Amino acid sequence: MSDNITTGFERVVPIANLLAEIITYTRPGNYGFRTSHTEQYATWTEIATQFEDSGIHPIKTVGYHMRRLSDALEKADEAVDRGRNAMRQRLSVHDSLRKLLRVLDRYREWVIRHSI
């Protein structure tokens, strides 16, 4: 595995912890990941793009789902406070997070299989 990918994962871990706090403790629709945490957002999207551009399918999938999570957070912030669309956007955040976690588990298994 490339050192750039390893470095990317190391840079993403603190941001993932921040996202966990934002999603857990912030009222839906007030996530503000892109606006309140601009440096972390820029790093997150940069690494997601780097992963998507890699030639390794499991890493590309991780990058895709990282981007989907940040997009879902932004759409939830833009949704109206009430109504069906706002609820869909909130559910989209949790769905994106669930899929990212599942992809990370698959990636971990892939690393274990290919390191033996």
Side-chain angles (χ1 to χ4, degrees), residues 4 16 18 24 26 30 37 50 74 86 92-93 100-101 110 115:
N4 291 336
L18 172 68
T24 303
T26 304
N30 295 324
H37 308 281
Q50 174 188 351
E74 191 168 341
S92 176
V93 168
L100 177 60
L101 292 173
W110 179 84
S115 64

Side-chain angles (χ1 to χ4, degrees), residues 5-83:
I5 301 300
T6 304
T7 304
F9 275 112
E10 290 172 356
R11 291 176 59 202
V12 164
V13 169
I15 300 169
N17 291 333
L18 172 68
L19 284 173
E21 288 180 24
I22 290 172
I23 293 170
T24 303
Y25 298 112
T26 304
R27 188 168 181 251
N30 295 324
Y31 297 121
F33 179 50
R34 184 175 63 92
T35 56
S36 298
H37 308 281
T38 54
E39 185 177 318
Q40 290 87 350
Y41 176 81
T43 303
W44 181 267
T45 54
E46 170 196 335
I47 293 170
T49 302
Q50 174 188 351
F51 286 177
E52 284 183 295
D53 293 342
S54 76
I56 303 167
H57 180 71
I59 296 170
K60 289 173 79 166
T61 307
V62 169
Y64 171 78
H65 285 287
M66 286 172 61
R67 187 174 43 78
R68 294 257 332 240
L69 177 59
S70 60
D71 290 347
L73 288 167
E74 191 168 341
K75 286 181 182 177
D77 286 345
E78 294 170 358
V80 180
D81 282 339
R82 295 188 185 106

